């Protein structure tokens, strides 16, 4: 997706303003300026303050830096020193700035060839891109054509700025020797080299942290971590899985911050009072936020970032399994556990494949979404959840601007502002990836896309939409539609996303992550496909989110549950912190019951297990809903056991 020219101009001028304080910067905006935007892997030619052309580029896989033999792209201000290759045929091969007499004509070649045209760069910043050990001219740093055009648009070069051969010719024809070049480094904070030492994750057991730690370890990094749950002897099986991957587990007492520790990785949930945090500050060890690590991986690989208020984990899993089933050997970093990976002995929320494709779940709830610059961005939906929709929409707009290749957007009307130039998916006629002939069953759904028949083993209309999003993402990655049906048919679901715990006496017990109005409604509607009556159990999480969604809960449970259904609500799950606990879930239950729904407050889990065992009868679906609390799945199993005992 190419942004509008006005957006390109605005971005390039903003980078110019940010770089005016650098040595070698011009006093005023020059009449001609070429800006390489490393974070977005694009370049723009600015003439008289307006972008007249833009192209995708590829900077160094190793990142940004000026050191000799670093294989990094030097940042900052340069000028075009020489133009080499005037009149040469496309694909002409150069070596040491001279044509070799050979010509590349599209054949497979692993070597990094310098083709078609060369613009040599002369650095203007002492100690950065000019002077002993870092001179860009002596390092043979160029802008040039490449035989790896399939990698253009993401970091992949050995230090130079690669362009497509037609693009570098177009630039060459308008460029002049002496023109200023700005190579603008990423806005995201630089993190220590992953090979520089051990990365220690405080709060290793959290879903987001554990996925990053596993991915880094699977890619050959040195990783360790700590977690209070492990200190208390909890989750021993998960600890063993970390250790099997070579991830060392330390007590959360600061002892993990040793001499070989290159960085401490923390999440928002890790307070500064945690001993690991204090030890890192004392030793001067860099402290990196979880979202900064994920942003680094998103920018390094050809990434597919999936965001939206609902369905992120499912679409991330579906996309990963389609790519994997089609032999693309992708990686994944996600918040939900994939049973397919768990069957291989992994925790289930991370995997490192051999290709450069990486599928990530990009969460909007903590605001970190704005850090990511994916190759392919996927926006599923916009609903009221952790934040007001206006706040989330602003983050989606940032993701749209930072997506390097293609944006994939749902066909809901409230997503129209982000859809210019995007690939859309959904059920409406305006969708590019559209499902027709949709047929639902208790166990899944069938539909067609462009004449290709699909069957998914997960029920509900929302899962049809999720599947369309995954299909669109894989189409954007260049995969043929025909090969997607078989992997999608074998999709094994996501942990706690309408996951059947078991059946006893004709009663099904289901565990689900639903925690906002739309997710709860989707879960109840899906349960109604499976059973005669729904016994809903909901545990709100967090006093702040529950207060924010209070009236949404009242409306949703009152409208979705029928006269025969039942709702039982547990007390608000409190994970600690400074939240004001000035109400009870019983207050919400009172309003739901006043609206005519059979709703009861559950004073304890023990009371609720007995109540469900006495109430449930053949044909019922017991639907356990709630987020964040890792014990809910075990609670659902306890309910099933009580039903089995009669």
């Amino acid at each position: 997706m190419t942004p509008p020219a006005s957006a390109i101009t605005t971005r390039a001028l903003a980078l110019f303003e940010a770089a005016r304080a650098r040595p070698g910067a011009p006093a005023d905006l020059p009449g001609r300026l070429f800006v390489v935007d490393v974070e977005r892997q694009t370049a723009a030619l600015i003439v008289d303050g307006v972008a007249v052309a833009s192209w995708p580029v590829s900077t160094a896989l190793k990142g940004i830096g000026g050191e000799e033999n670093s294989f990094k792209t030097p940042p900052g201000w340069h000028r075009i020193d020489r133009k080499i290759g005037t009149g040469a045929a496309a694909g002409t091969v150069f070596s040491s700035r001279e044509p070799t007499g050979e010509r590349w004509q599209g054949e497979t070649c692993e070597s990094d060839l310098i083709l078609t045209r060369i613009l040599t760069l002369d650095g203007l910043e002492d100690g950065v891109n000019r002077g002993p050990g870092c001179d860009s001219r002596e390092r043979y740093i160029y802008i040039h054509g490449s035989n790896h055009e399939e990698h253009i648009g993401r970091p992949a070069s050995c230090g130079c700025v690669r362009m497509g051969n037609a693009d570098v010719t177009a630039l060459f024809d308008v460029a002049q020797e002496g023109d200023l070049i700005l190579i603008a480094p990423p806005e995201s904070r630089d993190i220590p080299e992953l090979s520089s030492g051990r990365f220690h994750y405080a709060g290793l057991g959290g879903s987001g942290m554990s996925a990053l730690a596993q991915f880094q370890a699977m890619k050959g990094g040195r990783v360790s971590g700590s977690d209070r749950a492990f200190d208390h002897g909890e989750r021993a099986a998960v600890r063993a899985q970390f250790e099997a991957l070579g991830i060392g587990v330390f007590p959360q007492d600061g002892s993990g911050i040793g001499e070989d520790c290159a960085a401490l990785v923390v999440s928002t949930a890790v307070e500064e009072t945690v001993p690991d945090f204090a030890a890192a500050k004392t030793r001067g060890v860099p402290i990196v936020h979880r979202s900064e690590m994920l942003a680094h991986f998103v920018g390094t690989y050809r990434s597919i970032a999936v965001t939206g208020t609902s369905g992120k984990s499912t679409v991330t899993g579906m996309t990963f399994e389609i790519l994997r089933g089609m032999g693309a050997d992708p990686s994944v970093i996600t918040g939900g556990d994939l049973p397919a990976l768990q069957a291989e002995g992994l925790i289930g929320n991370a995997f490192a494949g051999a290709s450069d494709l990486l599928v990530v779940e990009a969460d909007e709830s903590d605001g970190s979404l704005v850090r990511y610059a994916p190759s392919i961005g996927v926006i599923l939906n916009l609903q009221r959840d952790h934040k007001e929709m206006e706040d989330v929409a602003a983050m989606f707009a940032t993701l749209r601007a930072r997506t390097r290749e293609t944006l994939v957007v749902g066909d809901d009307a409230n997503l129209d502002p982000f859809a210019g130039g995007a690939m859309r998916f959904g059920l409406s006629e305006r969708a590019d990836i559209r499902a027709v002939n949709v047929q639902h069953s208790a166990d899944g759904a069938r539909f067609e896309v462009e004449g290709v028949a699909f069957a998914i083993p997960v029920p509900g209309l929302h899962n049809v939409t999720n599947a369309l999003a995954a299909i669109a993402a894989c189409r954007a990655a260049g995969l043929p539609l025909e090969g997607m049906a078989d992997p999608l048919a074998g999709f094994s679901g996501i942990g706690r996303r309408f996951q059947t715990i078991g059946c006893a006496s004709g009663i099904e017990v289901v565990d689900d992550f639903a925690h906002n109005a739309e997710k709860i409604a989707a879960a109840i509607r899906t349960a109604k496909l499976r059973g005669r009556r729904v016994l809903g159990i909901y545990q709100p999480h967090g006093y702040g989110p529950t207060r924010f969604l209070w009236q949404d809960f009242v409306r949703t449970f009152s409208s979705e549950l029928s006269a025969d259904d039942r709702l039982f609500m547990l007390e608000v799950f409190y994970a600690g912190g400074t939240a004001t606990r000035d109400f009870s879930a019983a207050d919400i239950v009172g309003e739901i019951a006043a609206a005519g729904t059979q709703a009861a407050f559950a004073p304890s889990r023990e009371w609720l297990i007995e109540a469900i065992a006495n109430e449930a009868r053949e044909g019922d679906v017991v639907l356990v809903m709630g987020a964040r609390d890792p014990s809910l799945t075990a609670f659902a199993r306890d309910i099933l056991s009580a039903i089995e005992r009669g």
Side-chain angles (χ1 to χ4, degrees):
M1 180 192 72
T2 301
S6 59
I8 297 172
T9 299
T10 300
R11 170 71 176 175
L13 294 180
L15 293 175
F16 166 75
E17 289 296 332
R20 292 184 70 172
R22 298 182 68 101
D28 299 302
L29 178 68
R32 301 165 58 82
L33 174 65
F34 187 66
V35 179
V36 177
D37 186 343
V38 173
E39 186 157 40
R40 301 186 187 179
Q41 293 292 286
T42 59
L45 177 61
I46 304 298
V47 178
D48 295 331
V50 177
V52 297
S54 66
W55 304 275
V57 299
S58 177
T59 58
L61 178 63
K62 295 286 188 179
I64 301 302
E67 305 83 2
E68 189 175 6
N69 299 320
S70 67
F71 298 103
K72 295 181 179 181
T73 299
W77 289 100
H78 302 74
R79 69 176 182 88
I80 297 176
D81 183 48
R82 290 178 59 200
K83 294 172 61 177
I84 300 173
T86 302
T92 295
V93 180
F94 292 84
S95 179
S96 299
R97 305 171 184 167
E98 296 293 334
T100 65
E102 301 174 338
R103 185 181 173 201
W104 178 75
Q105 300 184 65
E107 66 275 13
T108 301
C109 177
E110 293 300 321
S111 299
D112 182 15
L113 300 179
I114 297 172
L115 304 179
T116 307
R117 301 286 189 276
I118 297 175
L119 297 169
T120 67
L121 301 184
D122 183 17
L124 302 177
E125 299 187 23
D126 290 329
V128 175
N129 54 37
R130 182 172 68 179
C134 62
D135 192 288
S136 49
R137 194 164 43 174
E138 294 302 318
R139 285 183 58 199
Y140 283 42
I141 297 298
Y142 312 142
I143 299 172
H144 67 80
S146 173
N147 59 310
H148 293 299
E149 291 187 309
E150 72 278 9
H151 295 326
I152 303 298
R154 59 187 184 275
S157 84
C158 298
C160 292
V161 177
R162 293 178 183 167
M163 297 180 69
N165 292 289
D167 292 344
V168 78
T169 300
L171 171 62
F172 189 94
D173 289 345
V174 297
Q176 300 174 10
E177 292 180 357
D179 281 353
L180 284 174
I181 305 284
L182 171 61
I183 299 179
E187 296 171 354
S188 301
R189 173 187 165 195
D190 286 337
I191 65 172
E193 283 284 345
L194 299 187
S195 60
S196 63
R198 175 172 52 84
F199 277 57
H200 185 75
Y201 286 75
L204 177 64
S207 60
M209 296 287 276
S210 71
L212 288 169
Q214 291 171 79
F215 178 75
Q216 189 174 353
M218 291 174 182
K219 284 293 186 180
R222 294 178 56 206
V223 180
S224 65
S226 64
D227 197 280
R228 283 177 290 206
F230 298 151
D231 291 352
H232 297 153
E234 302 167 5
R235 306 183 70 191
V238 172
R239 175 174 179 154
Q241 288 174 305
F242 283 130
E243 292 172 337
L245 289 173
I247 299 174
V249 178
F250 287 80
Q252 199 169 78
D253 58 4
S255 60
I257 314 298
E259 293 293 334
D260 63 334
C261 185
L264 170 68
V265 184
V266 300
S267 70
T268 307
V270 176
E271 304 93 349
E272 293 191 19
T273 54
V274 170
D276 289 353
F277 198 110
K281 294 191 74 171
T282 299
R283 288 180 171 268
V285 172
I287 299 173
V288 180
H289 192 271
R290 175 194 65 82
S291 62
E292 293 175 318
M293 286 296 296
L294 183 55
H296 173 77
F297 292 135
V298 167
T300 301
Y301 293 88
R302 190 184 182 209
S303 54
I304 301 172
V306 181
T307 192
T309 320
S310 301
K312 292 184 293 290
S313 295
T314 298
V315 174
T316 300
M318 286 178 167
T319 303
F320 170 72
E321 292 204 22
I322 292 173
L323 293 172
R324 199 181 192 203
M326 295 182 71
D329 205 1
S331 302
V332 68
I333 298 173
T334 185
D337 296 334
L338 278 68
L341 294 178
Q342 291 177 323
E344 299 172 18
L346 299 172
I347 292 174
N349 58 346
F351 180 81
S355 78
D356 65 346
L357 281 168
L358 168 64
V359 189
V360 302
E361 179 178 342
D363 193 4
E364 84 294 341
S365 64
D366 62 358
S368 62
L369 178 63
V370 298
R371 296 181 185 270
Y372 310 136
S375 296
I376 298 167
V378 182
I379 300 177
L380 302 176
N381 40 52
L382 176 57
Q383 303 157 351
R384 197 165 183 267
D385 192 351
H386 305 276
K387 300 177 181 292
E388 294 291 354
M389 290 194 290
E390 293 80 3
D391 297 333
V392 179
M395 289 187 277
F396 288 174
T398 299
L399 180 71
R400 179 187 190 277
R402 301 186 70 181
T403 295
R404 303 197 301 263
E405 292 181 28
T406 304
L407 189 70
V408 174
V409 180
D411 65 351
D412 292 343
N414 67 353
L415 297 181
D416 288 352
F418 317 109
M423 179 188 298
R424 304 201 74 171
F425 67 88
L427 303 173
S428 71
E429 293 185 357
R430 63 180 178 166
D432 301 295
I433 300 296
R434 180 190 179 204
V436 297
N437 300 327
V438 180
Q439 302 175 32
H440 294 284
S441 69
D443 300 315
R446 295 179 178 274
F447 56 91
E448 294 179 10
V449 177
E450 297 179 14
V452 177
F454 286 88
I456 55 173
V458 283
L461 183 62
H462 63 294
N463 277 320
V464 173
T465 305
N466 288 338
L468 293 172
I471 292 167
C474 293
R475 166 71 70 82
L479 275 69
L481 189 68
E482 294 76 15
M484 301 181 196
D486 286 347
L488 198 51
F491 176 61
S492 53
I494 302 292
R496 299 212 65 232
R497 271 63 175 184
F498 210 86
Q499 184 177 27
T500 298
I501 298 300
C503 296
S505 303
I507 302 162
E508 182 179 14
V509 179
V510 173
D511 186 24
D512 196 90
F513 194 72
H515 60 277
N516 72 6
E518 285 76 12
K519 293 172 186 175
I520 289 169
I524 293 173
R525 290 169 191 170
T526 304
K528 287 181 177 294
L529 293 172
R530 304 281 282 264
R532 180 175 51 83
R533 188 175 65 143
V534 176
L535 302 183
I537 297 170
Y538 182 60
Q539 178 179 270
H541 77 277
Y543 282 84
T546 301
R547 187 182 293 106
F548 182 66
L549 296 173
W550 186 311
Q551 292 306 314
D552 294 350
F553 292 146
V554 174
R555 284 191 298 269
T556 301
F557 285 118
S558 300
S559 61
E560 296 295 336
L561 293 173
S562 64
D564 291 336
D565 299 327
R566 302 284 191 278
L567 171 65
F568 300 90
M569 191 174 292
L570 288 157
E571 189 56 274
V572 178
F573 175 66
Y574 174 64
T578 58
T580 302
R581 292 181 284 172
D582 56 353
F583 66 90
S584 167
D587 300 322
I588 305 174
V589 168
E591 293 189 25
I592 296 171
T597 300
Q598 296 194 66
F601 174 70
S604 70
R605 288 190 175 184
E606 293 74 21
W607 178 92
L608 183 52
I609 290 171
E610 182 177 355
I612 293 293
N614 291 331
E615 173 73 26
R617 53 184 184 266
E618 184 177 353
D620 287 351
V621 174
V622 179
L623 177 59
V624 179
M625 296 173 286
R628 308 302 181 203
D629 182 356
S631 71
L632 281 172
T633 300
F635 173 56
R637 293 195 182 103
D638 291 342
I639 291 173
L640 178 65
S641 297
I643 294 171
E644 289 173 337
R645 292 193 301 269

